[in-house]
Coordinates of all heavy atoms in Angstrom, one line a residue:
K22 N 152.6 134.7 121.8 CA 152.0 135.9 122.4 C 152.5 136.1 123.9 O 152.5 137.2 124.4 CB 150.5 136.0 122.3 CG 149.8 134.8 122.8 CD 149.3 135.0 124.2 CE 148.4 133.8 124.7 NZ 147.9 134.0 126.1
L26 N 153.8 139.7 123.6 CA 153.0 140.7 124.4 C 153.7 141.1 125.7 O 153.3 142.0 126.3 CB 151.6 140.2 124.6 CG 150.7 140.0 123.4 CD1 149.3 139.5 123.8 CD2 150.6 141.3 122.6
L28 N 153.7 139.9 128.7 CA 152.8 140.1 129.9 C 153.2 139.2 131.0 O 152.9 139.5 132.2 CB 151.4 139.9 129.5 CG 150.9 140.9 128.4 CD1 149.4 140.7 128.2 CD2 151.1 142.3 128.8
F482 N 139.5 137.6 133.9 CA 139.8 136.8 132.8 C 141.3 137.0 132.5 O 141.9 138.0 133.0 CB 138.9 137.1 131.6 CG 139.1 138.4 131.0 CD1 139.9 138.6 129.9 CD2 138.5 139.6 131.6 CE1 140.1 139.8 129.3 CE2 138.7 140.8 131.0 CZ 139.5 141.0 129.9
D483 N 141.8 136.2 131.7 CA 143.2 136.3 131.3 C 143.4 137.2 130.1 O 143.0 136.9 129.0 CB 143.8 134.9 131.0 CG 145.3 134.9 130.8 OD1 145.9 136.0 130.8 OD2 145.9 133.8 130.7
I484 N 144.0 138.4 130.4 CA 144.1 139.4 129.3 C 145.0 138.9 128.2 O 145.0 139.4 127.0 CB 144.6 140.7 129.9 CG1 144.5 141.9 128.9 CG2 146.1 140.6 130.3 CD1 143.0 142.3 128.7
E485 N 145.9 137.9 128.5 CA 146.8 137.4 127.5 C 146.2 136.5 126.5 O 146.8 136.1 125.5 CB 147.9 136.7 128.2 CG 148.8 137.6 129.0 CD 150.0 136.8 129.6 OE1 150.8 136.2 128.9 OE2 150.0 136.7 130.9
D486 N 144.9 136.2 126.6 CA 144.2 135.4 125.6 C 143.7 136.3 124.5 O 143.0 135.8 123.6 CB 143.0 134.7 126.3 CG 143.5 133.6 127.2 OD1 144.6 133.1 127.0 OD2 142.7 133.2 128.1
Y487 N 144.0 137.6 124.6 CA 143.4 138.6 123.6 C 144.5 139.5 123.0 O 145.6 139.6 123.7 CB 142.4 139.5 124.3 CG 141.2 138.7 124.8 CD1 141.3 138.1 126.1 CD2 140.0 138.6 124.1 CE1 140.2 137.4 126.6 CE2 138.9 137.8 124.5 CZ 139.0 137.2 125.8 OH 138.0 136.5 126.3
I488 N 144.3 140.0 121.9 CA 145.2 141.0 121.3 C 144.4 142.3 121.3 O 143.2 142.4 121.1 CB 145.7 140.6 119.9 CG1 146.8 141.5 119.5 CG2 144.5 140.6 118.9 CD1 147.5 141.1 118.2
L496 N 140.3 141.2 120.9 CA 140.0 140.1 120.0 C 140.7 138.9 120.5 O 141.9 138.9 120.7 CB 140.4 140.5 118.6 CG 139.8 141.7 118.0 CD1 140.3 142.0 116.6 CD2 138.3 141.6 117.9
P497 N 140.0 137.8 120.6 CA 140.6 136.5 121.1 C 141.6 135.9 120.1 O 141.3 135.8 118.9 CB 139.4 135.6 121.3 CG 138.3 136.1 120.4 CD 138.5 137.6 120.3
L498 N 142.7 135.4 120.7 CA 143.7 134.8 119.8 C 143.3 133.5 119.2 O 143.9 133.1 118.2 CB 145.0 134.6 120.6 CG 145.7 135.9 121.0 CD1 146.9 135.6 121.9 CD2 146.2 136.7 119.8
W499 N 142.3 132.9 119.7 CA 141.8 131.6 119.1 C 141.2 131.8 117.7 O 141.0 130.8 117.0 CB 140.9 130.8 120.0 CG 139.7 131.6 120.6 CD1 139.5 132.1 121.8 CD2 138.4 131.9 119.8 NE1 138.2 132.7 121.9 CE2 137.6 132.5 120.7 CE3 138.0 131.6 118.6 CZ2 136.3 133.0 120.4 CZ3 136.7 132.0 118.2 CH2 135.9 132.7 119.1

Side-chain angles (χ1 to χ4, degrees):
K22 54 95 176 181
L26 297 180
L28 300 183
F482 67 100
D483 189 352
I484 195 69
E485 293 183 60
D486 290 335
Y487 299 83
I488 191 169
L496 299 177
L498 290 173
W499 52 257

